[in-house]
Amino acid sequence: MASELNAKSPAVTHPGPPDTWSGFLRNMGPGIVVVMSWLGTGDFISASVSGSTFGYALIWTLVVATFSRYFIVSAMSKYQLCNAVGDETILDGYGRVWKGFPMFIGATTCVLGFVYVSFLTLAAATALDALFRAVLPLGSWGIPLWAVFTTGVAYALASRRKGHFRGLEIVAQITMAVLVVCFLLALIGTGLDVPKLFGGLLFEMPPGEAGYITAASTAVGLIGAVGGSAANLLYPYLMHEKGWRGPGYLKLQRLDLRFGSFVMFGLVLAVWVVAAETLHGTGESVSSADGLASMMEKAIGPAGPPIMWLAIFFTVFNNIVTQPRVFVRMFVESLHKSRPERLERLRAHRDLTGVADKDAFSYDRLFWIILTVIMTVPIVFSLPGMPGMVIITLLGNSVNVLTVPMITVGLIVMTTKRSLMADGYANKWWETAVLALIGGVGLWATYELCTSIASTLSG
């Protein structure tokens, strides 16, 4: 069915892959966009907790987690660029593993998109309220009003048909610049213990008999959080929006993702180091965005909190612009695959000349309905007197329990099966082994999540 739909798609031409280093540099982009959408206040808080608790020890677990995510996303990207069956997106490949896979992934990612945006909108509004409270005091309605403002601007960017990816690149580049300046100033203020840093990178363990257990649980938690994450699906779709098609783009893709992964590692590492230098051994820790701002004040003085709030805003705003559109696109695309008559009716009623089937999602009314709901309803959670995010957190965790094992197992099947991959691109035995190991850790983390959910419900 997928091949039939692809056959009906109008031919769309894209420029070929670059063949010079300057060309590679000019064409890079999805890597920065996706890592800025992977980052969030949760990553910064987790790094701060680790730095305040363990100091420089266990930094190597961050290296392992970054490599794990790079390996998983590279496997997804390799399938999309190097499959032998004409699949344009990673969702097509999952459909070959099980025909119900695309609809399942599309539906669950929409739910996750709502959960993510609920947290992100609240975080962005909190950051803006903290930044402008002195000059624009809005009282208890400050956060809701800033949530409306954030949603309006984010929706305007996410709803663009033409130039959408370029808009994402600009937002991601601004976000990266703000974060680099923020944490560079923090590192200048706190200093850096180079010998301890190298010790942390070289498998240093926390002191005491429980050091190995702590290291193992920390590594499992970090890898489990990224290994089967639905957010990993963002990168292949951003590649598609960039126009990368075919094995010729594989080298560019790997360089692009490596650069993005290096940037993400450096930013999270900077937070870890700042926490290690300012909080380790003091008994203090970080449990919220306010805690991050307080940590920055210890690092560089009164300018620290405003800089941190600015970094938090751009980080979460980039997420709000990027994630919902891609997740809703996956659902609508899966609907078109499972109900091809819907796509045929769409083409019959709209002039989609020159629009490929994979790009027809934005002309479907359902896409705009779901996107609007996901991006606007979360404003409710910012209103005064609203309950906490416990129910939303439980919903997100429950959906993650369903998606993590299926995404991981499906990916292993797709990239290992030689009948689906172009000659020379199917996984080698060690690549499958690494994917299985990362998947196993992810399944164990999923089991821990299940027990946590059961405990919450029973308590």
Side-chain angles (χ1 to χ4, degrees):
M1 181 64 68
S3 59
E4 292 176 6
L5 283 176
N6 291 340
K8 295 177 183 178
S9 300
V12 180
T13 59
H14 298 278
D19 54 7
T20 63
W21 278 107
S22 60
F24 281 125
L25 292 175
R26 285 196 305 271
N27 282 274
M28 289 170 66
I32 289 298
V33 175
V34 79
V35 299
M36 291 299 109
S37 70
W38 285 340
L39 285 173
T41 52
D43 298 279
F44 297 148
I45 291 171
S46 296
S48 300
V49 170
S50 297
S52 63
T53 305
F54 307 119
Y56 284 87
L58 296 187
I59 285 178
W60 60 268
T61 60
L62 180 60
V63 178
V64 173
T66 303
F67 170 78
S68 298
R69 175 160 247 166
Y70 170 82
F71 202 86
I72 287 281
V73 177
S74 285
M76 290 181 173
S77 305
K78 182 176 71 171
Y79 182 85
Q80 185 162 299
L81 293 174
C82 306
N83 68 82
V85 288
D87 291 343
E88 288 188 56
T89 64
I90 190 69
L91 210 61
D92 293 332
Y94 278 106
R96 293 184 184 276
V97 177
W98 172 49
K99 65 180 182 180
F101 234 140
M103 184 62 73
F104 171 82
I105 292 177
T108 54
T109 52
C110 278
V111 175
L112 286 173
F114 176 79
V115 172
Y116 295 158
V117 173
S118 297
F119 283 106
L120 296 167
T121 301
L122 184 59
T126 301
L128 289 176
D129 187 55
L131 279 169
F132 295 103
R133 189 180 300 145
V135 295
L136 189 61
L138 298 172
S140 61
W141 285 96
I143 291 177
L145 290 174
W146 284 119
V148 172
F149 171 79
T150 300
T151 299
V153 177
Y155 188 86
L157 289 172
S159 61
R160 295 176 62 186
R161 279 203 184 101
K162 294 183 179 180
H164 171 256
F165 184 81
R166 182 55 188 154
L168 292 182
E169 285 186 310
I170 293 172
V171 173
Q173 289 163 1
I174 294 173
T175 303
M176 182 178 68
V178 170
L179 292 177
V180 168
V181 171
C182 172
F183 297 131
L184 185 60
L185 289 173
L187 286 174
I188 292 172
T190 61
L192 174 67
D193 192 322
V194 177
K196 286 186 178 180
L197 175 61
F198 278 104
L201 290 170
L202 297 175
F203 297 95
E204 179 184 352
M205 299 291 182
E209 295 180 359
Y212 288 95
I213 297 175
T214 301
S217 62
T218 302
V220 166
L222 286 172
I223 297 170
V226 303
S229 170
N232 292 339
L233 297 166
L234 292 170
Y235 186 75
Y237 272 87
L238 292 173
M239 287 195 324
H240 191 270
E241 289 206 24
K242 184 72 171 177
W244 295 358
R245 310 283 194 276
Y249 282 93
L250 190 60
K251 182 178 180 181
L252 174 60
Q253 176 271 309
R254 287 173 174 169
L255 289 172
D256 178 69
L257 186 58
R258 285 171 191 166
F259 176 71
S261 299
F262 177 79
V263 170
M264 181 176 68
F265 171 77
L267 292 172
V268 179
L269 175 63
V271 179
W272 189 311
V273 169
V274 171
E277 290 288 344
T278 58
L279 301 178
H280 183 56
T282 66
E284 298 182 50
S285 188
V286 173
S287 59
S288 65
D290 290 300
L292 289 172
S294 177
M295 181 184 74
M296 284 292 290
E297 185 172 19
K298 292 178 182 294
I300 59 176
I307 293 174
M308 189 70 238
W309 285 120
L310 190 65
I312 289 173
F313 171 75
F314 275 103
T315 300
V316 297
F317 181 77
N318 183 82
N319 281 245
I320 297 171
V321 174
T322 305
Q323 292 185 6
R325 178 185 170 101
V326 175
F327 288 154
V328 179
R329 172 186 175 169
M330 284 194 284
F331 175 74
V332 174
E333 179 186 318
S334 66
L335 185 63
H336 289 173
K337 286 175 65 64
S338 61
R339 301 285 189 274
E341 63 275 9
R342 182 183 183 90
L343 182 56
E344 291 173 1
R345 287 199 303 270
L346 185 64
R347 286 195 174 279
H349 288 88
R350 301 289 299 269
D351 180 13
L352 301 184
T353 304
V355 178
D357 285 346
K358 291 295 181 184
D359 298 322
F361 68 92
S362 65
Y363 295 88
D364 194 316
R365 284 181 57 196
L366 186 61
F367 171 81
W368 297 107
I369 292 172
I370 298 175
L371 183 66
T372 302
V373 169
I374 287 177
M375 295 192 70
T376 58
V377 172
I379 294 174
V380 172
F381 296 101
S382 68
L383 296 174
M386 285 298 295
M389 303 290 285
V390 176
I391 295 177
I392 293 296
T393 303
L394 187 61
L395 176 63
N397 287 343
S398 301
V399 174
N400 265 323
V401 166
L402 297 174
T403 57
V404 168
M406 297 192 74
I407 288 175
T408 304
V409 173
L411 179 62
I412 292 173
V413 173
M414 289 156 48
T415 53
T416 304
K417 203 169 183 180
R418 296 186 182 279
S419 61
L420 296 180
M421 299 298 294
D423 290 343
Y425 292 103
N427 284 346
K428 298 178 176 61
W429 69 268
W430 63 268
E431 292 175 309
T432 300
V434 172
L435 285 175
L437 178 61
I438 297 171
V441 173
L443 291 175
W444 176 257
T446 301
Y447 167 75
E448 294 291 327
L449 191 57
C450 287
T451 58
S452 174
I453 292 172
S455 175
T456 301
L457 292 175
S458 62

